[in-house]
Amino acid sequence: MMKQGRRELSEETLDQLIRSFSQLKGEYDESIEDDGVFVRTQAFVELTARRTTRSNTVLLGRKGDGKTALLRRLAHDLRVNGAKPSGERVCEVFEQIDIEDTYFTELINKFRQIMDLIHARHPTMAPDFIARELWSKYLLLVALRVGCSKAIELQALGQLQADVAALKALEQRTLQELDIQVQFADTTGVSKGFLPYLGALLARMIPSDEGFARSLEFDQERERERERDREPLVALQELPTELIKGAALIGNARLHVTVALDRFDDFVDRLVTNNPSTTQTLRRNFLHGLISALYKVQRQKSFRWLRLVASLPEDLVVDLDLREIAAHQQLLFVQITWSLEHLREMLDSRVASVIPGANWSDLFPFQVASSNKRVQRKELASDYLVRHTTRRPREVMSQALGLLEYLRLSGKQIDSRAMNMVVASNNTRIVQSQIIPEWKSSLPTLHTAIARLHRAEFKTVFSFADFVQSGIAPVLVPVSGAADSGPVDEIKALIALSSLFRVGMLGFRVRRATPREGFLRQGESDFVQYVFSHSAAQTPIPDITSLLMATNVLALADAAEGRSVRGFLMAGCDAKYDLQLCFAPMFFESLDAEHDFSFVVDEILDTEVVA
């Protein structure tokens, strides 16, 4: 037995705690279905509410925000409650398509081949339109396949009434259209998703040598007919009429189907690692087409029983300006955000799942002092942990896991000083193993930028001039990315600032001389609010943060209008404010940033709100 805080822990209990916090990826987390552990964020509440409206949804979140965990919990709830008909006697089923399960290089290559074939014959046809039609047709076919299969299954269980013979005929016709001639359950080593569908389309569009030889045996009229069959636009044709009409069979059976597309994060990571040149194609066509397809499918009256959820990484969506597309098409996003209360709840619930009645504060009941002697402020252990993250559950879990593993390894009770040491070590590991890989597709030189900032010997809080003069901008912004509307160094510095702000590495320390709600007192006369990308929704400088999050180089350049970075930023700021730049605490060790101030950076505002 070893003591930690108010609790005596056996080796078995400590192992169970470590196992609870070691499940960093949602697809492997054993506790998702545990009501006492799963945290119901606002995003989950919104997504669940859309069950009744059947609204298609783009679920947005950073890597590590819990997108897969949320979908797994949604699937669990539908599995438990969906098979029990509601007051309207409606059953609901869930199907998930993992993009990562496809062979990513083959998928993108086939996707590009089809678009190139169509574009060669029809050069005025926009690639985004081609991508939309490919996605729309595929999603509707998948919905029909799932709907038929589930309706037949539930009919056999006596949970709904359906025309089984008609559904079986519809299922076979759907499989023919998908051109998958084997039973899905018997398929091994081949994706059930987009890849075989695109492969089937290509097979129809490009004749094989054998097929060409046979075509020579037919007369010219037959050859012309076969040539028309190979017209690339066949891939973009709407569903056959019998399938559209057949969709009503599923609705009449009072069955609702939710189809979710997930694992885009891993798909993009592997895609960029294997073939960086395809990134632009992926962003401009692959995802644009998907977003547009969700809107198009939403308007299909025969498919009102269908709901589609696409789980997309936030950094890709921001780069693509898909928010503007969705706003134009009235497609609503659901954004995953984690409040301080939800992160505290996550820590408490995982402890309680192992030690009934206990919480995080039982294990770490002390206040944590800063390792810097100049800082007098002390924090709750949970707040100290959260402050050294970008407010993502995976990072908080990683910090907690590091503490518990240190406890097992050292056999010594963790106190404030030990927590300083362990969290500092975890910071470096999280930046290297999670942050840098996550941003590889959007910011491939981020690791170089961190190394450059490390050598620049920055303080944790610094001026705009320091940032411009550091020479960091060229590392993140190629020369061609600069615009002519202002000095090259200033514009590039502004774009680099935008990139680091989105990563969560760089933020603002907003000061004012008089109290205001949401500001905390730091020092004798300063009232301060820290603004990072994870807190940009509640910011006194919304115009600045929204522009930095947009990542539109031309918009940034136009807004700067030849002014200095400081001039541009201050122009969008209340005259009562003074702005400084600051690094997020999680990056202090990686950047070797010196903190010689008496205040806490990104201090968490407690219940004593200054007003």
Side-chain angles (χ1 to χ4, degrees):
M1 300 289 287
M2 63 181 72
K3 185 174 179 61
Q4 177 56 46
R6 305 187 188 104
R7 297 284 175 163
E8 294 284 346
L9 303 178
S10 66
E11 287 188 16
E12 180 182 1
T13 299
L14 182 55
D15 285 344
Q16 290 176 346
L17 284 169
I18 289 173
R19 187 161 56 250
S20 178
F21 282 99
S22 65
Q23 300 173 53
L24 301 179
K25 301 199 73 172
E27 50 266 44
Y28 307 122
D29 193 343
E30 302 169 356
S31 61
I32 294 297
E33 299 178 0
D34 188 336
D35 289 339
V37 175
F38 182 75
V39 178
R40 289 166 174 76
T41 60
Q42 183 59 34
F44 181 76
V45 173
E46 289 184 33
L47 192 60
T48 302
R50 294 189 180 196
R51 176 184 177 185
T52 56
T53 63
R54 313 308 300 163
S55 299
N56 291 344
T57 302
V58 178
L59 180 64
L60 281 183
R62 302 167 296 173
K63 195 168 186 177
D65 263 338
K67 299 186 295 297
T68 297
L70 192 153
L71 290 178
R72 278 191 60 198
R73 179 65 196 205
L74 179 66
H76 166 74
D77 287 355
L78 292 180
R79 189 165 58 249
V80 172
N81 303 315
K84 304 172 184 176
S86 65
E88 299 178 354
R89 301 294 297 173
V90 172
C91 294
E92 178 146 6
V93 295
F94 182 94
E95 176 85 355
Q96 182 164 319
I97 301 172
D98 287 346
I99 295 298
E100 168 66 1
D101 285 345
T102 63
Y103 301 118
F104 45 87
T105 303
E106 292 181 44
L107 191 154
I108 289 299
N109 286 341
K110 284 183 169 57
F111 192 73
R112 176 185 282 169
Q113 280 180 278
I114 289 177
M115 290 197 295
D116 288 347
L117 279 168
I118 295 174
H119 200 62
R121 291 199 188 184
H122 308 276
T124 60
M125 191 169 291
D128 285 0
F129 171 79
I130 297 173
R132 185 193 75 176
E133 296 305 300
L134 290 173
W135 268 117
S136 299
K137 198 170 183 180
Y138 166 70
L139 291 172
L140 290 176
L141 288 169
V142 167
L144 285 172
R145 176 183 66 78
V146 174
C148 290
S149 174
K150 296 297 184 181
I152 293 170
E153 178 184 329
L154 292 172
Q155 160 77 14
L157 295 173
Q159 295 178 357
L160 54 75
Q161 297 295 318
D163 186 339
V164 174
L167 284 170
K168 287 184 176 179
L170 177 62
E171 183 179 31
Q172 288 302 311
R173 181 67 181 88
T174 301
L175 290 175
Q176 288 175 2
E177 192 68 21
L178 281 167
D179 207 29
I180 301 174
Q181 302 301 327
V182 295
Q183 294 297 318
F184 285 94
D186 299 331
T187 304
T188 57
V190 179
S191 166
K192 305 173 185 178
F194 209 17
L195 173 60
Y197 175 63
L198 294 182
L201 287 178
L202 273 173
R204 299 175 201 172
M205 293 161 59
I206 305 175
S208 65
D209 292 340
E210 181 183 353
F212 180 71
R214 285 202 308 269
S215 72
L216 298 179
E217 301 173 3
F218 296 101
D219 57 33
Q220 290 184 346
E221 183 62 30
R222 176 66 64 87
E223 176 59 20
R224 282 194 292 270
E225 290 179 4
R226 291 175 65 84
E227 184 63 30
R228 282 197 297 272
D229 288 342
R230 292 195 294 269
E231 159 61 49
L233 284 185
V234 170
L236 306 187
Q237 287 178 350
E238 298 292 339
L239 287 182
T241 303
E242 68 264 34
L243 291 185
I244 296 177
K245 291 182 178 179
L249 289 171
I250 299 172
N252 292 340
R254 296 191 177 277
L255 177 67
H256 282 173
V257 176
T258 294
V259 175
L261 289 86
D262 193 26
R263 303 285 298 277
F264 277 92
D265 306 68
D266 295 333
F267 175 81
V268 173
D269 286 347
R270 294 202 182 191
L271 175 72
V272 174
T273 300
N274 284 267
N275 192 352
S277 65
T278 63
T279 304
Q280 189 62 26
T281 299
L282 171 71
R283 292 181 178 179
R284 295 304 307 167
N285 303 136
F286 192 77
L287 291 181
H288 264 267
L290 173 59
I291 296 295
S292 299
L294 292 177
Y295 174 69
K296 179 181 178 181
V297 170
Q298 180 83 52
R299 296 178 296 166
Q300 296 276 348
K301 293 182 179 180
S302 300
F303 288 82
R304 287 177 177 168
W305 46 267
L306 172 64
R307 176 174 62 150
L308 296 169
V309 181
S311 167
L312 299 181
E314 186 179 69
D315 60 306
L316 277 183
V317 174
V318 171
D319 284 347
L320 282 167
D321 289 331
L322 290 180
R323 295 172 191 270
E324 297 178 12
I325 294 175
H328 177 68
Q329 297 180 335
Q330 300 178 355
L331 180 70
L332 296 180
F333 286 109
V334 168
Q335 176 85 46
I336 299 179
T337 57
W338 284 81
S339 66
L340 176 62
E341 290 72 22
H342 282 140
L343 292 171
R344 287 170 174 164
E345 179 186 344
M346 183 187 72
L347 290 170
D348 289 342
S349 64
R350 288 187 178 266
V351 171
S353 69
V354 176
I355 310 172
N359 57 31
W360 182 260
S361 294
D362 286 327
L363 298 181
F364 303 96
F366 50 85
Q367 290 191 320
V368 183
S370 172
S371 57
N372 188 321
K373 301 301 181 183
R374 294 194 60 186
V375 178
Q376 299 300 309
R377 171 76 168 168
K378 293 184 178 181
E379 307 166 82
L380 294 174
S382 59
D383 289 359
Y384 184 81
L385 223 63
V386 170
R387 187 169 63 83
H388 287 84
T389 69
T390 61
R391 308 299 194 269
R392 293 189 290 187
R394 184 178 298 174
E395 293 166 2
V396 176
M397 293 263 288
S398 294
Q399 292 284 15
L401 177 62
L403 289 170
L404 294 169
E405 288 180 333
Y406 174 83
L407 177 61
R408 180 169 63 181
L409 183 64
S410 68
K412 298 178 181 179
Q413 186 167 191
I414 294 175
D415 57 13
S416 176
R417 186 174 179 181
M419 184 169 283
N420 290 152
M421 179 186 67
V422 175
V423 168
S425 176
N426 288 341
N427 286 342
T428 304
R429 178 173 53 81
I430 292 171
V431 170
Q432 293 297 320
S433 65
Q434 296 184 28
I435 302 296
I436 292 176
E438 171 194 348
W439 288 90
K440 187 171 184 179
S441 62
S442 301
L443 293 173
T445 58
L446 179 60
H447 65 291
T448 307
I450 290 175
R452 177 72 62 86
L453 289 169
H454 185 283
R455 293 194 299 271
E457 298 181 348
F458 268 97
K459 294 184 183 300
T460 55
V461 179
F462 50 96
S463 69
F464 301 101
D466 291 337
F467 183 74
V468 176
Q469 294 169 10
S470 69
I472 186 61
V475 177
L476 292 167
V477 185
V479 174
S480 58
D484 295 327
S485 59
V488 172
D489 288 346
E490 295 288 346
I491 297 300
K492 291 175 69 174
L494 187 56
I495 297 168
L497 172 60
S498 169
S499 298
L500 297 180
F501 180 78
R502 286 186 295 128
V503 169
M505 181 190 304
L506 202 59
F508 296 96
R509 186 172 188 261
V510 186
R511 294 188 300 174
R512 55 182 288 131
T514 55
R516 181 176 175 177
E517 185 175 358
F519 281 67
L520 52 90
R521 184 191 293 274
Q522 287 193 329
E524 293 297 322
S525 58
D526 284 345
F527 296 91
V528 176
Q529 185 176 111
Y530 290 92
V531 179
F532 289 90
S533 55
H534 58 257
S535 62
Q538 299 86 31
T539 171
I541 48 175
D543 293 341
I544 295 174
T545 53
S546 61
L547 192 57
L548 291 177
M549 288 294 287
T551 69
N552 186 317
V553 173
L554 293 179
L556 284 171
D558 290 343
E561 296 178 351
R563 292 172 287 184
S564 66
V565 175
R566 180 180 174 83
F568 157 70
L569 293 171
M570 293 306 296
C573 187
D574 190 301
K576 296 179 180 179
Y577 296 146
D578 176 52
L579 267 65
Q580 296 171 294
L581 295 179
C582 59
F583 290 123
M586 191 174 72
F587 293 87
F588 284 2
E589 287 75 22
S590 296
L591 300 172
D592 195 25
E594 180 187 0
H595 187 76
D596 61 355
F597 307 100
S598 60
F599 52 78
V600 173
V601 173
D602 200 18
E603 182 178 347
I604 292 175
L605 184 66
D606 56 24
T607 54
E608 297 178 2
V609 176
V610 177

